[in-house]
Amino acid sequence: MAGGGLLIAAGVANLAIADGSPILFVGLLGYAAWLVWLLVTGVRLVLMPRKVRAA
């Protein structure tokens, strides 16, 4: 949730980002947080034990 909020905050200041404003790093933090969440969720899904039912 925080990662998405940071991306939106950076998107609001889109023109400032184009000029090289420090707000660019807010968007990068949001993007990095999203990537970490994606990685952690993916690893948890892969490592989750599967329940197999006998037919």
Side-chain angles (χ1 to χ4, degrees), residues 1-52:
M1 189 73 166
L6 291 173
L7 284 172
I8 290 171
V12 169
N14 203 6
L15 292 176
I17 291 172
D19 290 335
S21 172
I23 194 85
L24 171 69
F25 297 108
V26 173
L28 289 177
L29 285 174
Y31 184 66
W34 176 74
L35 286 177
V36 168
W37 175 83
L38 198 63
L39 179 69
V40 169
T41 302
V43 168
R44 286 179 62 193
L45 285 172
V46 168
L47 296 179
M48 184 182 302
R50 292 181 175 83
K51 295 181 181 179
V52 180

